[in-house]
Amino acid sequence: MKTSRQIKGKQGENLAAAHLRKRGFVVLAENFHSRYGEIDIVARDAKYLLFVEVKTRGVGMWGKPSEAVCLEKQRKIIQTAEIYMMKNPLNLQPRFDVAEVYLDQHEKPCKLRWLQNAFADVILDC
């Protein structure tokens, strides 16, 4: 049985995947696992191979969702992306994005903030 946190996280991932599809991206994988960790969404367009970390936050939670993507988490995502690219070679530029999903008081997604090339902007220690 899924926890409330897992259900909220899946809502955020579904919203982010729908956002990508609306913008012409093809979602290649969701919840791709390696021994290093997990990538929420892998998608592509004609130029980029996107690796997307989705962070969902409810009302009253402290801080921006992207602040949870610390340097150690970034390393794990990059290592997992390397595994994905070895298994699925594509001649595309990799890019690491973070999707921040905010929930309203009824725990429904109400806002999506997309950070492109987020690892260049979000360098925090855990």
Side-chain angles (χ1 to χ4, degrees), residues 12-80:
E13 290 171 12
N14 290 341
L15 180 66
H19 172 82
L20 286 169
R21 287 183 183 104
K22 284 181 191 174
R23 277 145 189 83
F25 283 85
V26 175
V27 174
L28 302 172
E30 294 184 49
N31 306 112
F32 177 80
H33 290 270
S34 81
R35 65 186 176 128
Y36 301 108
E38 177 195 30
I39 296 174
D40 294 325
I41 301 170
V42 180
R44 67 166 292 173
D45 68 359
K47 185 175 179 183
Y48 292 106
L49 178 62
L50 249 56
F51 298 98
V52 182
E53 177 68 11
V54 181
K55 290 296 182 187
T56 304
R57 296 291 182 265
V59 174
M61 294 186 76
W62 182 82
K64 293 179 190 174
S66 60
E67 292 172 349
V69 187
C70 63
L71 187 57
E72 183 60 29
K73 178 73 172 171
Q74 291 176 27
R75 284 187 189 120
K76 289 178 181 181
I77 292 169
I78 290 167
Q79 289 172 314
T80 301

Side-chain angles (χ1 to χ4, degrees), residues 93-104:
Q93 174 66 45
R95 190 176 90 196
F96 297 90
D97 290 2
V98 173
E100 293 183 333
V101 178
Y102 295 87
L103 305 177
D104 64 16

Side-chain angles (χ1 to χ4, degrees), residues 66 69 74 96 113 115-124:
S66 60
V69 187
Q74 291 176 27
F96 297 90
R113 182 171 172 250
L115 296 110
Q116 290 184 2
N117 284 320
F119 290 8
D121 298 330
V122 181
I123 305 286
L124 303 172

